[in-house]
Amino acid sequence: MSRALEGIRVLDMTHVQSGPSATQLLAWLGADVIKLEAPGGDITRSQLRDLPDVDSLYFTMLNANKRSITLNTKTPRGKELLTELIGRSDVMVENFAPGAIDRMGFTWERIHAINPRIVYASIKGFGDGPYTDYKAYEVVAQAMGGSMATTGFDDGPPMATGAQIGDSGTGMHAVAGILAALYQRTHTGRGQRVQVAMQHAVLNLCRVKLRDQQRLAHGPLAEYPNDDFGDEVPRSGNASGGGQPGWAVKCAPGGPNDYVYVIVQPTGWPPIAELIGRPELARDPEWATPQARLPKLAKMFQLIEEWTSTLPKWQVLEQLNGHNIPCGPILSTKEIIEDASLRANEIVVDVPHPQRGSYTTVGNPLKLSDSPTTITRSPLLGEHNHDIYISELGIDEAELPDLRARGVI
């Protein structure tokens, strides 16, 4: 059975997380992703190592299903080989600092001239403007994209989210642009440039907070648990931010992740009132309707928590789901790695590696009926130099040792 992107070659000139997360997804979808690294390798190969002299989990979990070559693009021969690779690729992806690829001599105009069909994707921190040359990291993007200002509790500082919405979130946006450009190419025959900024991607993921910023002009936001409102959307703790109120309530025995997130829909209130031992609240005019409950959200969830705190979260989950009440236990990273259903769905997978042994990683979240995914390990540095330079580019085998000696690969 063929895979969705079979026959598409991606020249992956990315590093760290935002770019590699995008190219890894393309590889999972069947593209032949060639990770081009400087002779020293992607910096994450050595960052946050848990084993000495072995590629880190940081690297292995972002570079599955790829092939690796090394190339010093600052050398004349390196530029020649890069030109050859661009000419043979369908997609080129980079996330260098602004202007870095241009300074190598590979402007978009030149890349397009070398290969008019290529889709050239650039991931940067910011769009054109006063921030263009700022250095961007995951939490910097969260800070400047609206996430941190609206995350946390109203009496505390801005908070970062554990989800990598700045890096991997931007990578997912880049994939959407790349696939759209490849589809358009089937009609036009031409490639195009795809540009995605981390700040923009985070902002796109925070759009509901911009919705609420505009709603503030008409008064306080009733579904927020906050007592006071200024002229900016406040941090609202664990409030759902949607049309139905939600909160994380404590469960027994009271550990750091012994919580269940509960959403109270209008139809869910009578069975919740029954479960917490207060069935009369389903009929009480002070509690029976969503409008009556909105001013008392903190008290409502306190009543629910008085019940949940006496039970383990899995028992709470079972009872709430028995009444079709939307809820979910707070799962720790340990619980997620051990979750049998996630393994059965191949979203948590074990992968063998020749140096570090087996490691656990995240599988492909995109499930296509006619394009199954097998997760393979990340490549060793320069593992595919011979295959690509000699077997595919056709350079003389005798040149390979010379390229190593001269620091070209």
Side-chain angles (χ1 to χ4, degrees):
M1 186 177 292
S2 65
R3 294 181 294 168
L5 295 182
E6 194 164 308
I8 296 295
R9 169 169 284 187
V10 178
L11 181 58
D12 178 6
M13 296 182 68
T14 70
H15 59 289
V16 191
Q17 185 180 166
S18 62
S21 65
T23 53
Q24 178 172 257
L25 189 53
L26 295 173
W28 284 341
L29 293 174
D32 176 18
V33 176
I34 300 172
K35 185 174 179 67
L36 189 156
E37 302 177 70
D42 186 323
I43 191 173
T44 59
R45 284 186 183 269
S46 60
Q47 283 186 334
L48 305 177
R49 272 180 171 151
D50 57 322
L51 296 171
D53 303 319
V54 174
D55 287 340
S56 72
L57 290 167
Y58 193 4
F59 178 85
T60 60
M61 294 181 73
L62 286 161
N63 292 283
N65 292 63
K66 302 178 185 180
R67 298 195 288 168
S68 169
I69 60 173
T70 52
L71 186 65
N72 183 348
T73 57
K74 296 179 181 178
T75 64
R77 183 58 173 142
K79 293 181 189 299
E80 291 174 357
L81 291 170
L82 178 56
T83 301
E84 184 74 13
L85 288 163
I86 291 171
R88 292 169 175 258
S89 298
D90 297 283
V91 178
M92 175 178 170
V93 190
E94 58 90 9
N95 64 334
F96 291 109
I101 293 288
D102 291 2
R103 290 190 293 274
M104 289 181 196
F106 291 88
T107 63
W108 161 237
E109 290 74 22
R110 186 179 175 208
I111 291 168
H112 188 63
I114 294 168
N115 183 353
R117 288 178 54 80
I118 199 167
V119 172
Y120 171 37
S122 296
I123 297 174
K124 298 291 177 274
F126 308 95
D128 293 337
Y131 312 134
T132 300
D133 294 325
Y134 285 18
K135 284 189 175 180
Y137 286 81
E138 167 65 45
V139 183
V140 171
Q142 289 190 32
M144 297 182 69
S147 177
M148 289 187 70
T150 54
T151 302
F153 288 85
D154 61 350
D155 58 351
M159 298 290 290
T161 173
Q164 304 288 284
I165 61 175
D167 275 323
S168 287
T170 305
M172 301 307 103
H173 282 76
V175 169
I178 289 166
L179 295 180
L182 285 172
Y183 179 75
Q184 189 170 4
R185 191 181 72 174
T186 64
H187 303 290
T188 66
R190 287 169 51 84
Q192 61 185 293
R193 189 169 187 181
V194 175
Q195 296 175 286
V196 185
M198 294 169 68
Q199 182 191 28
H200 299 173
V202 171
L203 178 56
N204 186 42
L205 296 173
C206 292
R207 66 177 64 193
V208 297
K209 298 302 181 180
L210 289 193
R211 171 203 68 190
D212 292 346
Q213 178 65 38
Q214 296 169 83
R215 292 173 61 226
L216 267 177
H218 304 285
L221 306 174
E223 75 281 1
Y224 277 54
N226 307 67
D227 294 325
D228 300 311
F229 288 86
D231 61 357
E232 299 173 335
V233 173
R235 292 185 278 282
S236 56
N238 287 318
S240 70
Q244 310 298 332
W247 201 256
V249 292
K250 294 179 183 177
C251 300
N257 291 300
D258 287 323
Y259 287 82
V260 167
Y261 197 89
V262 181
I263 292 177
V264 181
Q265 296 175 314
T267 56
W269 180 241
I272 288 175
E274 187 75 34
L275 286 170
I276 67 176
R278 299 291 301 275
E280 73 278 5
L281 296 182
R283 301 179 299 275
D284 186 338
E286 294 295 314
W287 288 94
T289 66
Q291 293 75 19
R293 292 191 296 273
L294 272 178
K296 301 188 284 288
L297 290 182
K299 179 63 177 177
M300 180 182 74
F301 285 111
Q302 179 188 335
L303 292 172
I304 294 172
E305 190 170 81
E306 289 173 0
W307 169 66
T308 61
S309 62
T310 66
L311 300 169
K313 63 185 179 184
W314 296 107
Q315 191 170 335
V316 172
L317 178 72
E318 182 179 0
Q319 293 199 38
L320 290 175
N321 272 293
H323 293 279
N324 203 30
I325 296 164
C327 62
I330 308 303
L331 296 183
S332 70
T333 49
K334 181 175 183 293
E335 288 172 312
I336 285 171
I337 281 181
E338 296 172 351
D339 190 290
S341 67
L342 293 176
R343 289 184 174 274
N345 282 279
E346 297 183 333
I347 193 63
V348 174
V349 296
D350 294 322
V351 181
H353 190 277
Q355 293 180 336
R356 67 177 303 118
S358 179
Y359 65 94
T360 302
T361 191
V362 178
N364 186 3
L366 306 180
K367 307 298 184 184
L368 281 65
S369 62
D370 287 354
S371 182
T373 301
T374 300
I375 307 298
T376 60
R377 66 169 174 85
S378 60
L380 304 178
L381 181 61
E383 181 176 350
H384 301 95
N385 280 347
H386 186 282
D387 293 346
I388 292 169
Y389 287 131
I390 293 174
S391 302
E392 297 179 22
L393 264 61
I395 71 171
D396 193 296
E397 188 156 3
E399 188 183 1
L400 208 61
D402 180 59
L403 292 176
R404 289 196 188 95
R406 290 190 291 130
V408 177
I409 64 173

